[in-house]
Amino acid sequence: MAHATAMLDDDMMAPPRGYEQGMGVYNEKLGMWVFLGSEVMFFTALIGAYIILRVAHPDAWKPPGEVLNVPLTAINTFLLICSSVTMVKAFAAIQDGNLAGLKRWLIATVLIGAGFVGVQVFEYMHLMSVGFVPSEGLYGSTFYTMTGFHGFHVTVGVICMIYVTWRAFRGKYSAADHRGVEVVGLYWHFVDLVWIILFTIVYLI
Amino acid sequence: MEKAKHAHPNYIGIFFFLAALTAVELGVAFLPWPKMVLILLLIFLAIWKAALVALYYMHLRYEPNRLRLLAIAPLPLAVILVVAVTREFRW
Amino acid sequence: MATITAPTAGHIATGEAHAHEMSFLRKYIFSTDHKIIGIQFLIMSLVFLLVGGLLAMVIRWQLGFPGQAMPGGGVLPDTMAPDGIVLPEFYNALVTMHGTFMVFFAIMPLLVGVFGNYLIPLKIGAPDMAFPRINMASFWIAVPAGIMMIAGFVVEGGHAAAGWTAYAPLSERADLTGVSMGQILWCISLIILGLSSILGSFNYITTVINLRAPGMHWFRLPLSIWALFVTAILVLLAMPILSGAIIMLLFDQTLGTHFFGPAQGGQPLLWQHLFWFFGHPEVYILILPAMGFASDIIANGSRKPVFGYASMVFAILAIAVLGWGVWGHHMFMSGMNPTLGTSFMISTMLIAVPSAIKVFNWLGTIWGGSVRFHVPMLHAVAFVSMFIIGGLSGIFMASTPVDIYIHDTYFIVAHLHYVLFGGSLFAIFAAISYWYPKMFGRMMNPFWAKVHFVITFIAYNGVFFPMHQLGLQGHMRRIFDPNEYEFLQHLQGINTFISISAFVLFAAQFIFAINFIASWFVGAKAPDNPWDDNGLEWTVASPPPHGNFATIPRVFRGPYEYSSPLVEEDFLPQNRELPPQPAASAAHT
């Protein structure tokens, strides 16, 4: 049904009732996990290409810290992890029915997430000003493609997060139904997870 | 299966662990050890952090087994691609 | 995406009782009903099938009557065919775009976008997909992708011309090919199409997992649904690889990166590996749903259960899993690591086994059945026989030493068309004629459908069977003028014969097109269950109401209980409840 309206006694966060036993979780959560599978493959293509090119032509890379700003990015990594914490605190808040907490933690997540993107943009501008551009050999090509698409995913995440925050302020979430919060949270943690891998292999190796 | 009404995991505790692991990574990266050792250590640390995020922040620890299986299903494919194609450059 | 409302489990879909009157725009253009979206994909895909066919006709003109003015060729600009004579550069674009349109805009959406959408909710007993609005988005994202791909024909430098496989570094060397904007549009179009496919696939997967009607256990699913479900998983995991590779190609062209260009350490072979890592699962995406439809239709036409249902399911799974480990067989001649080549040879030989199991099971299904040769059955049996030929030629290619000889010849072209046309397209004709009554509430004209089938089958073999011979004689693929090579000149007669067969084949499709369009308006009204089939879709009206079922059906058995001793009729629908049987009766599933 395109416009299903919930029955009063429906637990929206339980698996769909009246159907054969499925994955054991509600549709939106299953859908997001399945979608994240495709994102894993997308980053596999980009990160895989990087690993393969680096094995093929290791001389094209500089030692860690020589070109890229490791301390700044380490702080940025820490920021992104913080935003995962604020996200999960928002989720925990609404699980307990704490609407005020939900709003506070969501706003924190949006701000920190936007901050991460801001630092990345600043980093890009600095790097390009010293001549480290996408066309700067294999190093530049892989660096900008991987971190750029990650940054793009973070930006999309921030936009979705703003939408969820707006809905939270309109009172659309409750302890009984906060699917949107959980689902956007899953995406957000995934983006953090990818960065954990990226930070290690792009900046530290 | 209903959402288990379990107590929240210790999110802040996990956060401090993640921060600590990141600090260890930073330390390891600049040690004067053989490159291969550093790479293995750093990958191990990164995977540990990723697992923590997946298990606790993404709640995989508390989800049905089937969902956990679904979540890790794409990983073998990633391994196949990278392992096979790097063979191209290491005959 | 954060707050899509799923159809609530307890909510009973009451079809017509849905009070609000929807505008024409909301009901038929921006519809979230999976059936409408399926039909939208059908119309779009058939248009692109026509485009792909037209491109093939120009190719066949050039090969059959080289250097001669094409009838009607005067309409083409001088950059393509001055005085109606095809230019070599245009020829390269033709073969590239024929492949591109057929694979991405015709066959894939026909199999997955049309029948995935149309059949999945109906056949599992659900009111709609898990995410109806994302479903709508999936179609409307595909449309601009298609428009962009067409636009490539009119840009400066012409359309992409590096093959549908866009091998680097040729595809990124505009300085050598003269093609710049065309290749860029090709890249962007496919990235957008990839997004459409991924949105569709996670919808299908979630729906099949979570929205099966009570009693619809996994091993009671029709094989068409198993196939579509597994295909959706392949789409989900393979398309992003293509997207990633294309992004790298696009950046090489526009940002000056060096992924594939050898000058600064880039690796052309990386493109091939990435492309085929996607490309091989892609060809299973193009055949698995076809196999699923064939199973459903052959069981129905034979009035017998599918032979070896469980092994059919395991074969589908085996093909899907093994399919990730064979991609290198497209690259035997690339100069790749020979040891890697050997492992790909072995895995490719292995994957023939589950396909063969399926073939034997189809034969076992027909054997001893009281066969009804309705139009879908004709196409389905043609599918099996043509797929056997295509599969057998594949075994030759799997052997690396043999492939050294036949790679990039017409032997490969023969193989791929036997599995994609003889296989997928015949199965699509079967599926369209089978489910047309359900979709449109009308029957297609059976006489003209049979005429279409006979002419198509004969002409099709006239086109593609001789290509095996061409290939063995060393006729390369994608070449503009074989007569440039002395050792190929004696093959011109075969090429001309193929081309004439191709023109007949193309013309015959108008019979299908007219039948399709006319029947929509004046075809005989279709009953609920014209084929006496057991599937859930045949228990509701043709076409089904919005919401599909008045109440969620309850399923008691698998979908292939034909000629069951339990009932008088020779079919037994999945949702029909029988009075309790005495202990001696056969257990179902």
Side-chain angles (χ1 to χ4, degrees), chain A residues 10 17 20 25 28 135 167 180, chain C residues 2-4 8-9 212 215 258:
Chain A
D10 258 347
R17 244 181 356 123
E20 192 62 30
V25 297
E28 289 81 357
S135 53
R167 288 194 104 235
Chain C
T3 48
I4 304 293
T8 310
R212 285 165 292 126
H258 306 282

Side-chain angles (χ1 to χ4, degrees), chain C residues 131-185:
Chain C
F131 310 116
R133 283 176 292 178
I134 291 184
N135 206 10
M136 177 177 76
S138 164
F139 173 74
W140 284 107
I141 289 174
V143 172
I147 294 173
M148 208 177 286
M149 194 57 90
I150 296 270
F153 279 115
V154 302
V155 299
E156 198 183 319
H159 217 321
W164 84 281
T165 51
Y167 275 16
L170 182 70
S171 50
E172 61 184 43
R173 293 297 299 274
D175 55 320
L176 295 177
T177 60
V179 177
S180 167
M181 203 57 212
Q183 190 70 59
I184 291 174
L185 282 172

Side-chain angles (χ1 to χ4, degrees), chain A residues 10 17 23 47 53 56 60 76 88-89 120-121 125 128 202:
Chain A
D10 258 347
R17 244 181 356 123
M23 187 55 77
I47 297 176
L53 287 170
N76 222 13
V88 86
K89 293 294 279 177
Q120 270 244 285
V121 170
M125 283 165 57
M128 294 214 223
V202 173

Side-chain angles (χ1 to χ4, degrees), chain C residues 260-309:
Chain C
F260 309 119
Q264 289 215 29
Q267 299 291 338
L269 272 183
L270 176 62
W271 168 265
Q272 290 193 37
H273 277 291
L274 285 172
F275 182 86
W276 287 116
F277 190 70
F278 146 79
H280 200 82
E282 167 70 6
V283 311
Y284 291 122
I285 290 167
L286 298 172
I287 198 69
L288 282 175
M291 292 174 155
F293 307 149
S295 295
D296 281 10
I297 293 170
I298 288 177
N300 176 280
S302 310
R303 315 311 294 166
K304 269 182 75 196
V306 169
F307 185 91
Y309 171 88

Side-chain angles (χ1 to χ4, degrees), chain B residues 14-30:
Chain B
I14 306 279
F15 165 66
F16 280 116
F17 208 69
L18 286 169
L21 283 172
T22 309
V24 170
E25 275 192 297
L26 284 169
V28 165
F30 297 99

